[in-house]
Amino acid sequence: MMQIMRATHLGMCFGVRDAVSLALEHADAGPLTILGDLVHNPTVLEALHAKGIAVAQDVTTVATPTVMVTAHGTSERALARTRALGLTIVEATCPLVRVAHRAVTSLAREGYHVVIVGRRDHVEVRGLTGDLDDFDVVLDDEDVLALEEHPRFGVAAQTTQSLEKVRHVVALIRRRFPQSEVRFVDTVCKPTKERQSAAIEMARQADVVIVVGGRSSNNTRELVNTCAKYCARVHHVQNEAELDPEWFLDAEVVGLTAGTSTPDEVIDRVEARIRQQ
Ligand code: SF4
């Protein structure tokens, strides 16, 4: 009999949950456009679409008087540009993204050269760096090798990065620039940390691990990478339809975790389908 083990922390974080409710509330009050993907999850996006909420990737194409900034946040410069177009802004920025913004602002104010550990093209990282004129974004060892020397580095992280990876990058920067002062502010958010450590705990005991989440969700990908260090059979699915029965051959314990933008119903449906294998 196959046993299913859910990670003790998984799925949607309070930041995304609150942003989705805020969008639904505002949609009841009047037409709303969300700037970018509120969450990187197709199921949630469909629910918003069903409510008549529009999504625009560029502020110049917004056709409603009100726009919503997603939980990922944005820069002051981008907010000013949006206001200049005469749009009303609803901010669904997660409080923990705001913590990261404040960390970056004070590092820059104190004269540190800001380095963000994260994905250069991710909306949160663009928001974190959007008010800076000079900064770097690094993700792997090669990026660190390409850095130029600065007397003082101020390092912060995209909130959904794995803390293990971030610490590795910080250590590398310290080793590469022994003459420089390197200050690190840990801005990885608590829900991400909890999901990462619960995933490790679960993956250690599982024969097969299923990670549920949007294909382009950063924290889901991080969960996949983390689990792969502890379990050889890790699969990433967006929903139950993507499960392949062959994955479960001879598996006694199947571990289950999900990224922070994955709704509970999707996790439940995946679990139910695994039980049928
Ligand atoms: S992943 Fe963390 S920072 Fe991002 S919305 Fe969720 S709680 Fe907030």
Side-chain angles (χ1 to χ4, degrees):
M1 180 66 189
M2 199 165 70
Q3 185 202 336
I4 298 182
M5 182 187 286
R6 273 193 185 222
T8 47
H9 294 274
L10 82 174
M12 212 177 254
C13 60
F14 77 94
V16 169
R17 222 179 274 278
D18 290 356
V20 172
S21 340
L22 196 65
L24 296 174
E25 260 168 50
H26 276 271
D28 286 337
L32 178 71
T33 303
I34 296 174
L35 266 185
D37 297 339
L38 182 56
V39 291
H40 294 119
N41 185 281
T43 313
V44 180
L45 292 175
E46 270 162 36
L48 296 170
H49 183 72
K51 269 271 194 179
I53 299 173
V55 174
Q57 296 303 332
D58 189 326
V59 70
T60 55
T61 63
V62 172
T64 60
T66 309
V67 289
M68 175 177 274
V69 169
T70 66
H72 302 109
T74 189
S75 64
E76 290 301 322
R77 283 178 188 163
L79 285 176
R81 276 198 299 273
T82 307
R83 279 192 205 102
L85 293 169
L87 296 164
T88 304
I89 303 171
V90 178
E91 283 187 72
T93 311
C94 173
L96 299 183
V97 172
R98 288 191 191 278
V99 169
H101 273 261
R102 282 198 292 273
V104 168
T105 308
S106 40
L107 285 171
R109 200 177 37 225
E110 289 166 36
Y112 289 92
H113 175 77
V114 172
V115 177
I116 303 289
V117 184
R119 289 186 183 275
R120 196 165 290 131
D121 56 349
H122 192 283
V123 56
E124 183 196 320
V125 174
R126 276 189 272 130
L128 283 174
T129 55
D131 293 322
L132 304 173
D133 295 318
D134 190 24
F135 61 87
D136 281 294
V137 180
V138 295
L139 193 59
D140 48 37
D141 296 14
E142 275 147 55
D143 298 330
V144 175
L145 288 177
L147 286 177
E148 281 176 22
E149 183 157 11
H150 293 269
R152 303 167 84 210
F153 286 98
V155 187
Q158 181 180 357
T159 55
T160 50
Q161 284 298 323
S162 105
L163 186 56
E164 201 183 327
K165 188 204 257 164
V166 175
R167 286 196 195 286
H168 166 80
V169 169
V170 174
L172 215 59
I173 297 174
R174 290 210 164 104
R175 223 175 308 143
R176 178 153 145 70
F177 301 106
Q179 313 291 338
S180 308
E181 180 199 344
V182 179
R183 186 160 155 216
F184 167 52
V185 187
D186 175 8
T187 48
V188 175
C189 76
K190 191 165 172 251
T192 295
K193 286 176 182 158
E194 287 171 344
R195 278 153 187 71
Q196 290 275 342
S197 46
I200 292 173
E201 185 85 352
M202 170 274 285
R204 276 201 176 121
Q205 304 170 61
D207 301 310
V208 178
V209 170
I210 302 299
V211 183
V212 194
R215 195 67 61 205
S216 51
S217 149
N218 185 63
N219 71 82
T220 305
R221 272 195 298 221
E222 292 296 340
L223 283 175
V224 172
N225 294 339
T226 303
C227 291
K229 288 188 192 141
Y230 300 90
C231 176
R233 295 158 68 185
V234 180
H235 301 280
H236 176 185
V237 297
Q238 301 207 104
N239 53 49
E240 71 281 12
E242 293 181 7
L243 291 168
D244 181 342
E246 290 203 352
W247 296 341
F248 305 99
L249 292 176
D250 305 325
E252 279 175 23
V253 180
V254 177
L256 185 62
T257 185
T260 51
S261 53
T262 315
D264 297 341
E265 313 92 80
V266 178
I267 306 173
D268 291 344
R269 283 205 302 268
V270 169
E271 179 169 350
R273 184 68 68 88
I274 298 172
R275 282 198 193 288
Q276 293 165 10
Q277 303 300 322

XYZ file of all heavy atoms in Angstrom, residues 1 26 31-32 45 54 62 87 91 99 102-103 116 131 137 143 156 170 176 196 214-215 223-225 232 240 255 272:
217
model
N 0.847 -1.209 0.000
C 0.000 0.000 0.000
C 0.879 1.255 0.000
O 1.765 1.399 0.841
C -0.903 -0.055 1.253
C -1.861 1.109 1.422
S -3.119 1.178 0.131
C -3.839 2.761 0.479
N -11.711 43.969 -5.093
C -11.716 45.137 -5.979
C -12.485 44.878 -7.264
O -13.085 45.803 -7.813
C -10.293 45.604 -6.270
C -9.770 46.499 -5.194
N -9.954 47.862 -5.210
C -9.133 46.213 -4.043
C -9.422 48.370 -4.104
N -8.912 47.388 -3.383
N -14.161 47.715 -12.536
C -13.212 47.038 -13.425
C -11.767 47.168 -12.938
O -11.361 48.220 -12.460
C -13.384 47.757 -14.768
C -14.514 48.695 -14.611
C -14.889 48.803 -13.182
N -11.051 46.077 -13.074
C -9.685 46.033 -12.527
C -8.753 45.334 -13.504
O -9.115 44.339 -14.134
C -9.716 45.258 -11.202
C -8.380 45.059 -10.488
C -7.881 46.381 -9.899
C -8.503 44.015 -9.388
N -5.146 32.063 -11.991
C -5.333 33.065 -13.044
C -6.675 32.877 -13.750
O -7.356 33.853 -14.065
C -4.175 33.012 -14.046
C -2.823 33.462 -13.473
C -1.701 33.267 -14.488
C -2.864 34.917 -13.014
N -8.904 41.841 -15.750
C -7.976 41.824 -16.889
C -6.546 41.732 -16.381
O -6.256 42.079 -15.241
C -8.155 43.094 -17.713
N -3.186 49.214 -20.278
C -4.281 49.068 -19.312
C -5.515 49.862 -19.763
O -5.402 51.034 -20.108
C -3.827 49.539 -17.909
C -5.000 49.591 -16.940
C -2.733 48.633 -17.378
N -3.740 56.553 -13.710
C -4.341 55.319 -13.175
C -4.350 55.322 -11.650
O -3.451 55.874 -11.021
C -3.559 54.100 -13.673
C -3.587 53.874 -15.190
C -2.490 52.910 -15.608
C -4.951 53.357 -15.618
N -2.232 48.415 -4.280
C -1.010 47.641 -4.078
C -1.284 46.377 -3.273
O -1.733 46.447 -2.136
C 0.038 48.476 -3.345
C 0.717 49.489 -4.231
C 1.860 50.179 -3.513
O 2.891 49.524 -3.291
O 1.695 51.352 -3.168
N 9.602 44.281 3.312
C 10.773 44.154 4.191
C 12.043 44.119 3.338
O 13.028 44.800 3.633
C 10.672 42.872 5.067
C 11.986 42.579 5.783
C 9.530 42.996 6.080
N 12.805 47.570 1.983
C 13.417 48.453 2.985
C 14.883 48.096 3.206
O 15.724 48.972 3.360
C 12.645 48.365 4.307
C 11.346 49.166 4.268
C 10.825 49.437 5.674
N 10.379 48.219 6.340
C 9.144 47.724 6.223
N 8.253 48.336 5.476
N 8.810 46.618 6.857
N 15.193 46.798 3.191
C 16.588 46.364 3.378
C 17.462 46.912 2.249
O 18.543 47.455 2.497
C 16.658 44.835 3.414
N 21.690 41.668 -5.481
C 20.518 40.850 -5.171
C 20.792 39.430 -5.637
O 21.212 39.214 -6.780
C 19.258 41.372 -5.911
C 18.982 42.848 -5.576
C 18.044 40.493 -5.615
C 18.496 43.117 -4.183
N 14.609 51.184 -8.273
C 14.922 52.549 -7.841
C 16.424 52.769 -7.692
O 16.872 53.808 -7.218
C 14.211 52.853 -6.508
C 12.698 52.904 -6.697
O 12.253 53.421 -7.742
O 11.974 52.401 -5.824
N 22.697 41.711 -10.063
C 21.841 40.586 -9.699
C 22.634 39.318 -10.015
O 23.153 39.175 -11.127
C 20.523 40.592 -10.502
C 19.646 39.403 -10.102
C 19.757 41.893 -10.276
N 28.039 34.277 -12.167
C 27.621 35.671 -11.954
C 28.533 36.349 -10.923
O 28.862 37.523 -11.040
C 26.173 35.744 -11.447
C 25.178 35.160 -12.449
O 25.452 35.225 -13.650
O 24.148 34.648 -11.996
N 21.284 41.266 -0.573
C 19.947 40.863 -0.130
C 19.445 39.822 -1.139
O 20.047 39.640 -2.190
C 19.008 42.060 -0.077
N 26.722 34.276 -0.984
C 27.330 35.285 -0.101
C 28.754 34.856 0.266
O 29.695 35.657 0.213
C 26.475 35.495 1.171
C 27.182 36.429 2.148
C 25.105 36.044 0.811
N 35.750 35.928 -2.885
C 36.295 36.582 -4.083
C 36.801 37.992 -3.783
O 37.714 38.469 -4.429
C 35.211 36.611 -5.170
C 35.630 37.286 -6.431
C 34.881 36.758 -7.628
N 34.619 37.793 -8.606
C 35.547 38.371 -9.366
N 36.809 38.011 -9.252
N 35.215 39.304 -10.231
N 10.799 25.144 2.363
C 12.058 24.501 1.986
C 12.460 23.443 3.023
O 12.789 22.321 2.662
C 13.191 25.549 1.895
C 13.059 26.498 0.720
C 13.638 25.943 -0.568
O 14.425 25.009 -0.544
N 13.251 26.518 -1.691
N 3.026 26.155 -10.570
C 3.108 26.713 -11.921
C 4.491 26.505 -12.512
O 5.480 26.508 -11.800
N 4.513 26.284 -13.827
C 5.758 26.028 -14.531
C 6.750 27.186 -14.339
O 7.941 26.989 -14.228
C 5.421 25.835 -16.029
C 6.476 25.226 -16.872
C 6.823 23.768 -16.600
N 5.745 22.819 -16.769
C 5.705 21.647 -16.144
N 6.655 21.291 -15.320
N 4.700 20.830 -16.341
N 11.836 24.397 -4.938
C 11.432 23.199 -4.197
C 11.852 21.939 -4.953
O 12.308 20.965 -4.359
C 9.916 23.182 -3.969
C 9.368 24.100 -2.877
C 7.850 24.062 -2.867
C 9.910 23.699 -1.504
N 11.700 21.975 -6.281
C 12.106 20.829 -7.104
C 13.603 20.581 -6.915
O 14.040 19.455 -6.645
C 11.781 21.074 -8.599
C 12.370 19.974 -9.479
C 10.273 21.179 -8.810
N 14.404 21.648 -7.013
C 15.861 21.504 -6.865
C 16.241 20.994 -5.484
O 17.098 20.124 -5.345
C 16.559 22.856 -7.091
C 16.402 23.312 -8.528
O 16.143 22.503 -9.416
N 16.534 24.607 -8.765
N 15.818 10.768 -5.524
C 16.219 10.643 -6.926
C 15.045 10.774 -7.899
O 15.231 11.045 -9.074
C 16.914 9.306 -7.134
N -3.237 17.640 -11.619
C -3.312 16.174 -11.556
C -3.205 15.527 -12.937
O -2.746 14.388 -13.058
C -4.589 15.733 -10.822
C -5.903 15.943 -11.564
C -6.419 17.367 -11.513
O -5.676 18.281 -11.091
O -7.581 17.579 -11.913
N 6.067 11.519 -1.517
C 6.069 12.818 -0.834
C 5.363 13.850 -1.695
O 5.399 13.781 -2.924
N -5.465 13.174 -4.491
C -6.512 12.186 -4.775
C -6.122 11.323 -5.974
O -6.314 10.105 -5.965
C -7.833 12.900 -5.034
